[in-house]
Amino acid sequence: MDRHIPFDALHNFRDLGGYTTPDGRRIRPGRLYRADSLGKLREGTPDWDRFLSLGIRTVIDLRHPWEIEKRGRIPDDTSFGYHHLSIEHRPYNQPALPPEVDPGPYLAERYMEVAEDGTKEIRRALELVADAAESGQPLVFHCASGKDRTGQLAALILELLGIPEPTVIEDYSLTELATEAMVAAWTAREGREPTWLGFGRAPASVMRTFLASMKKRYGSIENYVTQELSLDAEALATTLRTALLEPNPTTFPPLTYRRATPSDAATLVRLRDSAALWQLARGIDQWKPGEKDETHFRTRMQQGEVWLAHTGPHLTGAWEIWWEDEAAWGPRPADAGYIHRLMTTPHTAPPGTGRKMLAEAESRITATGRPYARLDCLSSNPQLRAYYEAAGYKVVGEQSAKQDGTGSPYAVTLLEKRLA
């Protein structure tokens, strides 16, 4: 479910595997990793054992020499080769920026500077990625937080692999899941909080603006690779796609379901935030990360039901059932269950998972003797409305000023289904 691989000292180490191309292939899991500073790893610790267990054979360190001198580098080991390629030639002090600086245009401009200045190092990094891909050996690249320089290199690689731009943007924004931990670690180390409110943040607007600027200037990422890096972009893309892409699975274990317990609350928060970032990368203004905390999910468990769906050992989705919903529907008799937060794991849930979870939620409502399933969606989200209508739900009204306690009122479409 979670791309972030858990470490004690690292907060933004993740696998690029599983992202899919329009022609039905996916990046092979366990072959390409991105990370925050591996200089935080220490020999003889569980973190070190976990890192070595991944079988990584190539480490690319994108930081400045002074960062390595000050913060250290990954310990030497015979199992992998270490390459230092400082792609950023004009350093800037993010924590010290004034609070009013907008991360979107500011960081996108810095990334363009890196694209212009770091051509020699970026070229070598892409060559190393291609070599590792051809040899079938896992590789990791990292900077300090695993966001800016790492995010840039990841975007170039994903574009060359043919991954759609919304997914490239989404991959960048997944750093948002690690922002709180990274800011806390920086504050603990420095003994003060950063002044820049954008420190550690990775809003989708940054990568969206950067990619648009690159394509406006060069026409395409491939043209940038050819013109500025003096590489054969077509040959490089072919090498990467041949070695790193595989057909999407066509068979999956059956979905299994279990009722959530309070210990699942943190997992549910992370799943919802991941789904929110997926939406934002595609311009869908439905959910925002951080809107629902662990207390929300524990409350829903007490007042209704929260369910988890698994495919084999992997979490692939979740949903809530409420027994009343006056904010959207007003006072009603006990004749329905109200389905909320139907969510699947982006990119890894088997096809049809959402519809199967919806049917399972309906069966839970039927088991209580209630004849209706009800739900709502933002009136500004016609795609979601169409999804539920295709599942047998009918629009029965609008609520123009729903309140959920998190902000301004908003309009929702009310949908209902008569259950067998």
Side-chain angles (χ1 to χ4, degrees):
M1 183 278 289
D2 198 334
R3 293 190 169 275
H4 284 82
I5 297 174
F7 286 86
D8 295 328
L10 307 179
H11 307 298
N12 203 14
F13 193 112
R14 40 195 165 102
D15 191 344
L16 291 173
Y19 289 137
T20 57
T21 62
D23 64 358
R25 293 182 292 170
R26 69 172 188 176
I27 301 175
R28 298 177 187 271
R31 293 284 300 277
L32 197 56
Y33 298 97
R34 52 176 294 172
D36 49 330
S37 175
L38 299 184
K40 293 178 283 188
L41 293 175
R42 296 293 180 266
E43 293 177 285
T45 64
D47 272 359
W48 184 242
D49 294 339
R50 190 174 296 115
F51 175 81
L52 293 179
S53 73
L54 298 175
I56 290 170
R57 297 293 177 262
T58 303
V59 174
I60 301 176
D61 188 339
L62 303 174
R63 295 176 298 161
H64 293 284
W66 65 262
E67 291 177 283
I68 296 172
E69 181 178 352
K70 186 174 182 180
R71 303 290 176 209
R73 50 150 286 186
I74 189 171
D76 283 317
D77 194 87
T78 58
S79 66
F80 58 80
Y82 171 82
H83 303 268
H84 176 218
L85 300 170
S86 180
I87 67 173
E88 184 179 81
H89 293 195
R90 286 180 263 183
Y92 52 103
N93 187 358
Q94 289 194 30
L97 292 172
E100 66 273 11
V101 172
D102 184 344
Y106 180 82
L107 289 177
E109 288 177 7
R110 304 291 78 71
Y111 296 177
M112 287 301 293
E113 290 175 355
V114 172
E116 297 165 1
D117 297 343
T119 53
K120 177 182 176 182
E121 293 83 3
I122 295 171
R123 172 193 171 108
R124 181 57 183 149
L126 290 175
E127 290 173 338
L128 288 169
V129 171
D131 290 344
E134 282 193 301
S135 65
Q137 296 179 338
L139 173 146
V140 63
F141 52 97
H142 77 90
C143 56
S145 65
K147 175 174 73 78
D148 301 310
R149 291 160 288 186
T150 296
Q152 253 188 281
L153 183 57
L156 294 178
I157 295 167
L158 292 175
E159 286 271 350
L160 289 168
L161 283 167
I163 302 301
E165 184 170 299
T167 304
V168 178
I169 295 169
E170 176 195 355
D171 176 72
Y172 171 81
S173 69
L174 284 178
T175 287
E176 292 275 318
L177 299 179
T179 295
E180 183 178 355
M182 292 194 298
V183 171
W186 189 92
T187 301
R189 187 181 71 231
E190 302 295 330
R192 56 187 172 85
E193 295 184 354
T195 60
W196 190 35
L197 300 180
F199 180 67
R201 299 293 310 280
S205 60
V206 176
M207 184 54 62
R208 186 177 290 115
T209 302
F210 168 64
L211 291 175
S213 298
M214 288 287 284
K215 291 171 184 179
K216 180 179 180 180
R217 179 171 301 181
Y218 299 106
S220 68
I221 295 300
E222 289 78 9
N223 285 348
Y224 166 76
V225 170
T226 299
Q227 296 170 17
E228 297 297 325
L229 306 186
S230 300
L231 288 171
D232 185 332
E234 183 177 354
L236 177 60
T238 298
T239 296
L240 294 176
R241 295 178 190 188
T242 300
L244 291 175
L245 298 181
E246 65 181 8
N248 270 321
T250 56
T251 59
F252 301 89
L255 284 180
T256 58
Y257 308 101
R258 72 169 176 85
R259 195 164 173 176
T261 67
S263 64
D264 295 310
T267 297
L268 288 161
V269 170
R270 201 164 179 88
L271 173 58
R272 187 192 179 280
D273 287 350
S274 297
L277 292 170
W278 183 96
Q279 293 175 3
L280 290 171
R282 288 155 181 81
I284 301 171
D285 188 15
Q286 176 89 11
W287 291 351
K288 304 290 191 304
E291 286 177 327
K292 303 300 179 185
D293 59 12
E294 293 184 29
T295 299
H296 163 85
F297 287 104
R298 293 193 183 100
T299 301
R300 296 325 318 170
M301 293 174 204
Q302 293 170 355
Q303 298 180 358
E305 298 181 2
V306 181
W307 286 80
L308 303 175
H310 288 80
T311 303
H314 303 293
L315 179 66
T316 49
W319 71 90
E320 302 171 9
I321 301 176
W322 301 8
W323 301 124
E324 58 181 22
D325 185 4
E326 290 195 14
W329 293 81
R332 294 272 180 153
D335 62 350
Y338 300 84
I339 301 170
H340 286 271
R341 264 162 290 286
L342 186 78
M343 47 192 177
T344 61
T345 54
H347 309 287
T348 57
T353 293
R355 188 65 64 83
K356 291 176 182 177
M357 292 196 308
L358 192 59
E360 181 67 16
E362 292 165 0
S363 73
R364 289 294 305 163
I365 297 169
T366 299
T368 69
R370 292 171 169 85
Y372 293 101
R374 295 183 180 131
L375 47 80
D376 65 78
C377 66
L378 282 179
S379 299
S380 58
N381 192 341
Q383 300 98 322
L384 189 58
R385 168 179 166 169
Y387 176 85
Y388 287 127
E389 287 180 315
Y393 285 78
K394 294 183 178 180
V395 175
V396 296
E398 297 280 334
Q399 166 59 273
S400 61
K402 181 179 177 180
Q403 294 272 7
D404 65 359
T406 61
S408 302
Y410 53 94
V412 295
T413 301
L414 305 177
L415 298 104
E416 180 181 86
K417 181 177 182 179
R418 176 83 185 193
L419 303 177

